[in-house]
Amino acid sequence: MSASITEPSTRQKWSAGILVVTYAIITLLPLVWIIATGFKSSSDSIAYPPKVVFQPTVEGYVNLFTTQTRLSSDAIAEPRENLPWYEQIVREKGNTIVGASRFSERFFNSVIIGFGSTFFAIVLGTTAAYAFSRFRVPLKDDLLFFILSTRMMPPIAVAIPIFLMFRQLGLNDTHAGMILLYTAVNLSLAVWLINGFIDEIPIEYEEAALIDGYTRFQAFYKVVLPQAATGIASTAIFCLIFAWNEYAFAVLLTSGNAQTAPPFIPTIIGVAGQDWPAVAAGATLFLLPVMIFTIFLRKHLLRGITFGAVRK
Amino acid sequence: MPNSLKDRAARVTPAAMINQVKGLSDRAIAWVFLGPTIIILLAINIFPLIWTIYLSFTNYRVNRPNKDVEFIGLRNYERILSDTDIWITMQATAHFLIWTIVLQVLIGFTLAYLINKKFKGNDLWTTIIVLPMMLSPAVVGNFWTFLYQPQIGLFNYVVGFITGADPSTFSMIGDVPLAPWAIIIVDTWMWTPFVMLICLAGLRSIPDSIYEAAECDCASKWRQFWTITIPMVLPFLMLAVLFRGIENFKMFDLVVQLTGGGPGSITELTSINLKREAFEKWRTGYASAYAVILFVTIFGLASIYVKALNKVKDR
């Protein structure tokens, strides 16, 4: 029993634990509510008082992925055999499916633009960070600060000229344009974070490699890259999360073709007004990957969100 | 260091082999590695900024491409600075900024202080608290409009349950006095974990030996808290405030989805106001001047603040 003076007492631990867990549960409540609403029927979702116990249904998900129209009373009465299960669900509400909704398209756009921009930001960011870390770059500190300062600008302020520029170049509402834009925005984060990770790798490793006859480039990808791999991977996830969640540029610069999910989900409406189970289903599908990443990212979280300004 | 070492390696290598072994020279590699990044940042960040500054001196309107662009000097700036509506949105922004920062610092620091007591399972609960921060503000904001519904919303129901008020009598996003609080609550829910994480890093950076020394000097726990804990965490806390300040000054997505600036224009923050000028009224030149003023404000306030931060750090 070497109880140090700074070690909190059991009572302190208990009261601290109870307070934090209470806060965590309050925090979790809206998220649980989103997931739960996705599995409610539309009447359950707007019941008063709000329903905690309900009969789960995938109606919201079916509505999310399909476009429907209201059946006439004759059509409802008309018996039909061998309807697929999802047709049956909407038919019970007096609707019929007339096609696929645009949700999967938007979701797919988010995937393409998210992964595409992350890929380019990481490739360019890693090489630039290596150059900053290992070569004598003129005005290095100024350049690094300039790279960081690009994040201080409100997106709307830059959106005006980018909108004009993209219109000139025919990049408006295209995947290429959005990938280029998000790459640029993520580059600053990537350079800063990866620069920090590479700085931590002892320079002697490369020197040894160079003496063994490696070229500078070989030393970079055979020695430095594997050492920085975990750091680069977590940086990539932060870039992906940014591109995944971004809304301002997406809503201003895209309209149909290249629109990602964040501007789209709030516009999901059913046959009669905003269909909350469908919105919740879309939100759940959209938020879930990020929640999973967050759990994996725990250790690197602080560095990623503060540009490495605070190291844990 | 590596340069001189490699030069030495090169000197002892026969000339014919140097080309084979060395590949590109260091300087060339530096350019190849840095070039694309600098070009992209110039194209997507600096060039637009310069263009914005240029447009801010004109009366250009995107939706009238055939009209001649006139150079009107500082007139856009004059109009903005004398526009009372803009001062109102600035006030709304300031109100939002001050309250979110106060609440997030208080709650965030308290949580970090408690988590630092190292109770069992604190890692799991910390991860849960951190979740909202990682989500899409637009999607989350949209769903909160559902939670805020007067009759059916969970928020109103819970508040009604606790306070005994009738949940259908108030609407967080429909009532003028409540709407600013609707966005403050969601922002605090989303971003308190951020302040908490940074405070936690600050608390963990304090070496135990300082407390042990204080204990030897018979300093009370209260005294230790004020003379050790707070000053040591302060630089971290100030950094958190800087990041939150910049982010909330440019706040757009969450508020657009939550209240859209309404009811009336009570929650119309500067970014939303700017979007309205630029992409609804299409007053491009005017909006550009507005953007420049915002950027200068953020940059100016941040620079002053960073100076203060450095002073605290050096102390």
Side-chain angles (χ1 to χ4, degrees):
Chain A
M1 280 296 284
S2 60
S4 119
I5 316 165
T6 50
E7 183 67 18
S9 68
T10 322
R11 222 189 75 209
Q12 277 181 324
K13 282 189 185 187
W14 266 97
S15 42
I18 289 169
L19 285 169
V20 171
V21 170
T22 311
Y23 184 87
I25 289 171
I26 295 172
T27 286
L28 208 51
L29 211 56
L31 294 177
V32 171
W33 205 252
I34 293 183
I35 297 170
T37 306
F39 291 103
K40 284 181 182 178
S41 64
S42 26
S43 54
D44 276 352
S45 75
I46 53 168
Y48 178 82
K51 272 199 174 175
V52 179
V53 183
F54 57 91
Q55 182 76 43
T57 161
V58 287
E59 193 187 312
Y61 286 85
V62 173
N63 291 353
L64 175 68
F65 282 102
T66 58
T67 313
Q68 302 167 13
T69 179
R70 188 141 287 206
L71 284 170
S72 65
S73 44
D74 295 345
I76 297 173
E78 179 188 319
R80 277 230 229 144
E81 302 275 310
N82 299 329
L83 279 180
W85 61 271
Y86 48 86
E87 272 283 7
Q88 257 164 23
I89 288 177
V90 298
R91 221 176 146 80
E92 274 164 23
K93 304 278 159 191
N95 296 335
T96 187
I97 294 170
V98 289
S101 80
R102 310 199 75 178
F103 178 74
S104 32
E105 203 182 308
R106 297 290 174 265
F107 196 85
F108 195 54
N109 281 346
S110 275
V111 173
I112 296 175
I113 293 169
F115 280 90
S117 64
T118 302
F119 173 78
F120 289 115
I122 289 299
V123 170
L124 297 176
T126 308
T127 48
Y130 180 76
F132 274 123
S133 179
R134 292 297 193 255
F135 299 124
R136 233 170 290 141
V137 178
L139 298 173
K140 175 177 160 176
D141 289 339
D142 296 316
L143 262 177
L144 274 174
F145 181 74
F146 150 68
I147 289 176
L148 182 64
S149 72
T150 54
R151 278 236 169 168
M152 282 200 206
M153 259 178 276
I156 315 293
V158 227
I160 303 164
I162 288 180
F163 176 78
L164 295 171
M165 194 164 90
F166 274 18
R167 204 172 57 173
Q168 286 286 314
L169 299 170
L171 285 171
N172 255 355
D173 203 14
T174 62
H175 294 84
M178 293 311 282
I179 290 176
L180 179 69
L181 180 61
Y182 287 168
T183 301
V185 183
N186 271 332
L187 250 177
S188 46
L189 177 73
V191 171
W192 265 80
L193 282 179
I194 299 173
N195 187 47
F197 287 117
I198 293 181
D199 274 348
E200 275 167 21
I201 302 168
I203 211 158
E204 283 77 18
Y205 289 179
E206 281 158 270
E207 286 175 354
L210 290 176
I211 290 173
D212 283 350
Y214 280 29
T215 64
R216 181 57 99 159
F217 193 71
Q218 281 171 331
F220 166 65
Y221 76 80
K222 286 192 180 157
V223 177
V224 176
L225 275 191
Q227 293 277 329
T230 26
I232 293 173
S234 57
T235 307
I237 296 181
F238 280 111
C239 291
L240 184 63
I241 289 178
F242 168 81
W244 190 252
N245 287 342
E246 209 285 333
Y247 172 80
F249 286 126
V251 82
L252 297 175
L253 301 176
T254 65
S255 44
N257 176 41
Q259 195 175 66
T260 50
F264 181 73
I265 289 173
T267 65
I268 296 170
I269 43 168
V271 177
Q274 191 129 22
D275 180 356
W276 286 109
V279 173
T284 306
L285 288 179
F286 188 73
L287 301 177
L288 222 48
V290 177
M291 294 192 200
I292 293 164
F293 280 145
T294 308
I295 293 164
F296 281 122
L297 270 184
R298 271 202 314 264
K299 276 190 190 153
H300 299 281
L301 212 54
L302 199 54
R303 223 173 173 175
I305 53 177
T306 58
F307 271 99
V310 176
R311 291 190 181 164
K312 205 163 144 189
Chain B
M1 262 288 278
N3 282 335
S4 64
L5 192 114
K6 250 194 73 208
D7 287 346
R8 245 182 296 142
R11 242 177 283 132
V12 295
T13 320
M17 258 185 80
I18 292 180
N19 289 333
Q20 267 180 19
V21 175
K22 272 180 87 181
L24 289 168
S25 75
D26 274 11
R27 178 168 294 197
I29 289 194
W31 277 114
V32 172
F33 275 17
L34 276 177
T37 296
I38 292 179
I39 291 169
I40 287 195
L41 289 174
L42 282 176
I44 305 285
N45 282 310
I46 294 309
F47 175 66
L49 181 66
I50 294 168
W51 200 350
T52 306
I53 295 173
Y54 159 74
L55 286 175
S56 72
F57 296 113
T58 68
N59 64 353
Y60 180 65
R61 296 173 76 109
V62 179
N63 59 343
R64 289 187 202 152
N66 298 327
K67 212 174 148 234
D68 284 342
V69 180
E70 255 179 81
F71 197 77
I72 56 166
L74 289 169
R75 220 177 313 150
N76 283 329
Y77 290 91
E78 273 168 36
R79 271 170 57 202
I80 290 171
L81 295 173
S82 57
D83 188 341
T84 48
D85 284 354
I86 281 173
W87 292 110
I88 293 170
T89 62
M90 284 282 190
Q91 274 170 19
T93 311
H95 179 265
F96 171 67
L97 262 176
I98 290 168
W99 277 106
T100 50
I101 286 175
V102 167
L103 288 172
Q104 287 167 29
V105 163
L106 285 179
I107 305 173
F109 179 81
T110 311
L111 281 173
Y113 189 76
L114 294 172
I115 287 170
N116 203 34
K117 296 281 179 211
K118 304 183 186 96
F119 57 89
K120 228 180 180 175
N122 61 0
D123 195 32
L124 168 78
W125 297 105
T126 313
T127 312
I128 289 176
I129 291 178
V130 162
L131 273 177
M133 175 176 85
M134 308 297 285
L135 306 177
S136 165
V139 175
V140 162
N142 177 245
F143 198 80
W144 269 85
T145 62
F146 178 58
L147 299 177
Y148 278 147
Q149 300 276 318
Q151 268 283 0
I152 56 176
L154 181 68
F155 183 88
N156 276 40
Y157 184 74
V158 171
V159 170
F161 189 80
I162 293 170
T163 64
D166 181 355
S168 60
T169 53
F170 64 98
S171 164
M172 290 299 288
I173 49 177
D175 296 347
V176 171
L178 291 178
W181 291 97
I183 58 173
I184 291 169
I185 290 170
V186 182
D187 192 80
T188 304
W189 173 75
M190 275 197 96
W191 292 104
T192 297
F194 175 81
V195 180
M196 177 196 84
L197 277 180
I198 295 184
C199 288
L200 200 54
L203 286 169
R204 289 192 175 153
S205 73
I206 307 174
D208 282 356
S209 56
I210 300 186
Y211 289 110
E212 279 156 14
E215 200 75 26
C216 290
D217 293 343
C218 293
S220 67
K221 287 279 175 212
W222 184 244
R223 178 91 196 262
Q224 286 178 26
F225 179 77
W226 283 106
T227 54
I228 303 172
T229 313
I230 294 288
M232 297 283 270
V233 178
L234 195 61
F236 288 84
L237 203 55
M238 285 183 75
L239 194 72
V241 170
L242 175 71
F243 277 103
R244 285 316 306 142
I246 292 177
E247 285 298 316
N248 271 357
F249 198 90
K250 355 181 266 193
M251 174 58 67
F252 179 71
D253 30 16
L254 180 73
V255 183
V256 161
Q257 279 306 325
L258 201 56
T259 63
S265 58
I266 189 76
T267 58
E268 183 150 314
L269 306 184
T270 44
S271 281
I272 297 175
N273 194 229
L274 176 56
K275 188 235 168 185
R276 201 151 283 170
E277 294 293 343
F279 292 93
E280 279 167 36
K281 297 182 187 165
W282 299 105
R283 295 157 73 178
T284 316
Y286 182 80
S288 297
Y290 198 166
V292 171
I293 289 178
L294 283 190
F295 182 60
V296 168
T297 312
I298 295 183
F299 210 79
L301 289 177
S303 316
I304 295 169
Y305 186 88
V306 168
K307 269 202 185 123
L309 177 67
N310 286 334
K311 252 188 203 154
V312 171
K313 258 193 197 161
D314 291 343
R315 209 173 49 200

